[in-house]
Amino acid sequence: MKTQLILSISVVAAVSLLASCSSTKVQPDTYDNSETVTIFKIDSASTTASNEDSYSEEKLNSARSFSDKLLNKNKYDKKEEMTCFLTPTLGKPFARKGAFIHKNGTDLAGFFILYDTSFYAFYLAKNERASLVNAVSRYIRDFDEKNLDSKLKKSERAYGQSAAYEEFGIAEPMMTNFSKPNVYFGYKFLKGSPYFCIQVAPAENLAVNTKSDGAVKQSIGQRYFFTKAQAQALASFLSEENISRYYGSGLGTDLNDIQADSY
């Protein structure tokens, strides 16, 4: 009992230390919305999630060896540092460091970050990445044309929705939980400045029997906020042109389309 208590305290202390070290200072964008605002129409095509499961178990684990799966290793590659804003229950929005990531052997990419007391690896597949890139483009256009409205209800969902995939846990080596949440793209004004927003809905933890005692039943709801520069960096990283360099243009080729050699 004493050993478990000491271990729990150590884990919480480590997470708190990482949280304090991973925050950084980023200036929010200034925005003058005193002009007349034009309310834009939501593109219905971008709000429709694909019926295809882009996050099937076969796809996620196809490029990992048996030992990697057994030891929960090599789940993703960290490519470069990124930052975004988080909003605590009390207090001002603050910027936190994370990393852009790519899941080996797949078209999945996203970012890794500490949110509250857990680490999250957030992924989008090809079609969903395209939806996010389109949403960022619309946000920047509406920002530049002064079409953002601080009074618009549900502005955090203004640019549509998509499916997503997340892995999470209290420490990076212990991210054994996973879910397939719905995510929404939009914007939100914080302290007078508009941010591009990714809203992640809570979703069932698919890694465990959620009826068992002590099981983490679901991932928590999350909101990630990005300045124009941060949103542009995210869209640039998740573009098909960029991510295709990691997994190759041949990914997803139907094996039946490959011609056999004549002999």
Side-chain angles (χ1 to χ4, degrees), residues 132-151:
L132 182 141
V133 171
N134 177 60
V136 170
S137 296
R138 294 178 62 192
Y139 162 74
I140 293 174
R141 179 197 67 197
D142 291 326
F143 187 109
D144 293 340
E145 296 178 358
K146 303 297 183 186
N147 285 338
L148 300 177
D149 184 2
S150 60
K151 298 180 181 179

Side-chain angles (χ1 to χ4, degrees), residues 27-31 40-41 43 46 85 131-150 152 155-160 184-190 192-198 224-235:
Q27 293 299 319
D29 295 315
T30 57
Y31 187 81
F40 52 85
K41 294 182 179 180
D43 181 3
S46 68
F85 281 82
S131 295
L132 182 141
V133 171
N134 177 60
V136 170
S137 296
R138 294 178 62 192
Y139 162 74
I140 293 174
R141 179 197 67 197
D142 291 326
F143 187 109
D144 293 340
E145 296 178 358
K146 303 297 183 186
N147 285 338
L148 300 177
D149 184 2
S150 60
L152 180 65
S155 63
E156 292 166 283
R157 302 187 177 195
Y159 300 134
Y184 304 89
F185 307 127
Y187 67 90
K188 185 174 179 63
F189 279 78
L190 301 173
S193 297
Y195 295 79
F196 178 75
C197 177
I198 298 177
Y224 300 101
F225 301 98
F226 302 80
T227 64
K228 280 177 63 178
Q230 290 171 333
Q232 286 174 321
L234 175 65

